[in-house]
Amino acid sequence: MNEQIKQAVEQYFRGLLTVLGETAEIQYKKEGENELFINLQGVSTFDGLDAKLLRALSYLAEIAMRRRLGTGIRIHLDINNQWAKRLAEIQQLARRLADEAVRESKKIQLDPMETYERKAIHEALSGFEGVRTYSEGRGAERRVVIEPVRPSGS
């Protein structure tokens, strides 16, 4: 990610926080080709927002960056590391359920969840021996299924 983009994103969020009477440490957690992962540490106004509202704030920042820089960028916003903590919880749950699926030889269907949550489960179990994961359903009813598989050669 080039420095011009980082500066523009930082200026955008500092301006937003100033309007709200907040300050924050802006942490860049991970960078991709056209992706920027940002954590606003020390913010109370947005603390506890659900994933949909965080995504909406990210989307507004993406629109602002596209207008300002003339280029598209994907922004993943976290507040006080709550998203990162949630992903860790989801991945821990996924491994526990995968163990159960293998141990009891049964398919486990999870509750409907957000896209990023489903992706975290698929990633957490991608190397987990003895199970496969897939999503089924549409829209708000889309869910992950964890299914035991027989090892090849059995």
Side-chain angles (χ1 to χ4, degrees):
M1 185 70 50
N2 75 39
E3 201 57 37
Q4 179 187 11
I5 292 173
K6 278 186 180 178
Q7 288 175 356
V9 169
E10 185 164 340
Q11 186 178 27
Y12 173 83
F13 282 109
R14 291 236 182 266
L16 177 64
L17 292 169
T18 298
V19 168
L20 296 170
E22 289 265 13
T23 59
E25 177 186 349
I26 299 177
Q27 301 169 336
Y28 300 95
K29 294 159 69 173
K30 180 178 158 187
E31 302 171 19
E33 182 66 27
N34 289 319
E35 288 185 297
L36 190 56
F37 291 76
I38 298 170
N39 179 46
L40 300 180
Q41 189 66 40
V43 176
S44 62
T45 302
F46 299 134
D47 201 20
L49 285 182
D50 68 13
K52 288 180 182 178
L53 290 174
L54 280 177
R55 184 66 214 126
L57 281 172
S58 299
Y59 182 66
L60 291 174
E62 290 169 6
I63 291 170
M65 293 305 100
R66 190 170 22 256
R67 286 184 176 166
R68 180 172 181 182
L69 302 170
T71 185
I73 180 172
R74 177 84 173 179
I75 296 173
H76 302 276
L77 181 62
D78 197 357
I79 307 294
N80 299 323
N81 286 312
Q82 69 186 31
W83 186 59
K85 290 173 190 169
R86 174 72 178 138
L87 287 179
E89 290 170 1
I90 289 169
Q91 291 171 335
Q92 184 179 23
L93 171 68
R95 288 186 288 276
R96 200 169 55 245
L97 292 173
D99 280 333
E100 180 182 331
V102 170
R103 186 177 60 254
E104 297 182 15
S105 296
K106 71 174 187 179
K107 184 182 348 181
I108 298 176
Q109 192 176 62
L110 281 66
D111 291 334
M113 57 184 62
E114 297 289 326
T115 303
Y116 81 93
E117 294 171 319
R118 290 192 312 271
K119 182 179 179 193
I121 290 173
H122 292 306
E123 288 175 357
L125 299 181
S126 66
F128 197 99
E129 196 160 323
V131 298
R132 74 181 187 108
T133 62
Y134 57 92
S135 294
E136 63 182 22
R138 296 207 177 276
E141 291 302 310
R142 194 143 175 89
R143 64 187 71 227
V144 173
V145 176
I146 302 172
E147 183 175 59
V149 295
R150 295 184 184 270
S152 55
S154 303

